[in-house]
Amino acid sequence: LDRQTCQGSQGACPWTVGEWSACSTELCGGSGTQSREVRCSGPSSALDCDAVERPAAVRSCEVPSGECAWRVGAWSGCEATCGNGVDQREVFCPTGNDADCAGTRPIATRECSIGAFCSWTVGEWSAC
């Protein structure tokens, strides 16, 4: 097979590679794959490059346990109908081990207050 001259040098053209993609898994401590574009810089096709020297287009990857992100649900809404109450949401580390998640655990409860819809309720007078 007669190869094209590549960038002023005789022989095989170099391969060009793109950036690695993000890991295919978001699961903490899980493994997945990454991919990137690999192209021959030759003028004709991949035949202008040495197939034995072709860089990998796919590789395995892992998301280290210490880099897990906290999962946080939506606030439930204040449980009070009038006055002070509590608002709650689900907060958890996907591995089930809080030590695997980075940073401080987000709050799961907060105080809330409902001022609207509050009114005095007046009853009958008691007997003397």
Side-chain angles (χ1 to χ4, degrees), residues 78-94:
C78 193
E79 68 179 24
T81 55
C82 175
N84 297 329
V86 176
D87 197 3
Q88 298 179 334
R89 66 180 177 180
E90 185 178 19
V91 175
F92 65 96
C93 186

Side-chain angles (χ1 to χ4, degrees), residues 4-110:
Q4 299 274 339
T5 300
C6 203
Q7 297 177 352
S9 64
Q10 195 68 16
C13 297
W15 292 95
T16 59
V17 295
E19 295 293 317
W20 287 108
S21 67
C23 194
S24 64
T25 186
E26 293 180 8
L27 181 62
C28 303
S31 57
T33 58
Q34 290 178 291
S35 60
R36 66 180 176 180
E37 184 179 7
V38 176
R39 291 185 315 186
C40 179
S41 62
S44 299
S45 69
L47 297 176
D48 293 330
C49 294
D50 186 347
V52 175
E53 298 294 321
R54 180 185 171 106
V58 177
R59 70 179 179 186
S60 61
C61 57
E62 292 184 4
V63 176
S65 295
E67 295 181 14
C68 296
W70 292 100
R71 300 290 196 262
V72 179
W75 290 105
S76 63
C78 193
E79 68 179 24
T81 55
C82 175
N84 297 329
V86 176
D87 197 3
Q88 298 179 334
R89 66 180 177 180
E90 185 178 19
V91 175
F92 65 96
C93 186
T95 64
N97 181 3
D98 287 0
D100 289 340
C101 279
T104 305
R105 180 185 179 98
I107 62 168
T109 60
R110 64 182 179 186

